[in-house]
Amino acid sequence: MTILRTTVASDFDSANSIIRYFLGQNMRGGWEVWLQTIFARAVFDAPVGAPVNFNREVHFPNGQICDLWFQSGTEIWIELKAQRSMDYVGAVADFVSDIDKLLALNRDFKAANVLVAGSVLRLGIHGVNPQHDDRELLNNIRTRGPNGTLHYWQYVQNAWQDVTDTILNVPLNTLICASFTPN
């Protein structure tokens, strides 16, 4: 997640930010594949522990498809979601879907591999219904307490701050990076 946050921050701070561009557009498909690719590159460029193998769209043992797969001794399976556009309502629901996908894997597979669901989104309220407030939705995940480790970071003043316990107080339009690792 450190490499993902660094990758996102580096782009977000640049004058030609792909993330800012796509969040302002309503393009079908969004920028998730771009993020997967640039994130994989950052993992390979990391000074320590670069993976031996990498693939996108690899099948879990139960037949579902995983976004990214790395291997460097241990297999690392990553579900990665990126908010498709500024007004996309389903960003948090997509993250929850990935959490549920990881939790549905059998216990032995979860114990033998590193599994992570990650999401990058900008907090918003969708419509007039406060139940569509991304902060409320993320807090509901936190309080529901899925069997694993959950973290939220907000990007402010060129740095990531852990806001897992204070997600309800994070201002709207803040860039958020979320992660979940099952136990």
Side-chain angles (χ1 to χ4, degrees):
M1 285 309 295
T2 301
I3 293 173
L4 178 62
R5 290 193 317 266
T6 301
T7 301
V8 169
S10 176
D11 176 80
F12 199 73
D13 290 340
S14 76
N16 296 318
S17 173
I18 299 292
I19 296 171
R20 286 181 190 268
Y21 177 78
F22 274 106
L23 283 175
Q25 306 300 315
N26 285 317
M27 295 185 176
R28 190 175 191 288
W31 48 281
E32 183 176 317
V33 173
W34 170 85
L35 181 60
Q36 290 175 1
T37 304
I38 207 78
F39 170 63
R41 178 180 174 187
V43 170
F44 276 102
D45 290 346
V48 177
V52 176
N53 293 310
F54 163 75
N55 270 306
R56 289 183 57 248
E57 308 297 319
V58 175
H59 288 269
F60 283 118
N62 65 6
Q64 291 185 306
I65 296 175
C66 180
D67 293 325
L68 301 168
W69 173 83
F70 296 97
Q71 181 186 29
S72 59
T74 301
E75 293 184 29
I76 303 169
W77 302 74
I78 300 173
E79 287 294 322
L80 185 58
K81 292 296 180 257
Q83 182 176 352
R84 297 176 192 165
S85 66
M86 189 59 173
D87 60 356
Y88 178 62
V89 180
V92 176
D94 290 346
F95 179 55
V96 171
S97 176
D98 282 348
I99 289 172
D100 292 340
K101 185 188 290 189
L102 296 181
L103 290 173
L105 294 165
N106 75 49
R107 184 183 339 176
D108 291 338
F109 184 81
K110 287 189 281 191
N113 297 279
V114 175
L115 305 169
V116 178
S119 181
V120 179
L121 65 139
R122 215 173 200 180
L123 293 176
I125 295 177
H126 310 287
V128 295
N129 187 342
Q131 291 179 337
H132 292 142
D133 181 334
D134 289 333
R135 297 170 297 191
E136 280 288 333
L137 296 171
L138 290 169
N139 192 55
N140 289 344
I141 300 168
R142 186 181 69 80
T143 58
R144 180 181 82 177
N147 191 17
T149 304
L150 181 69
H151 287 285
Y152 303 134
W153 297 272
Q154 78 172 345
Y155 191 66
V156 61
Q157 299 176 348
N158 299 338
W160 290 103
Q161 299 172 350
D162 190 323
V163 293
T164 305
D165 296 329
T166 58
I167 190 67
L168 290 172
N169 300 326
V170 175
L172 292 174
N173 296 317
T174 300
L175 189 66
I176 294 289
C177 192
S179 75
F180 173 78
T181 304
N183 289 341

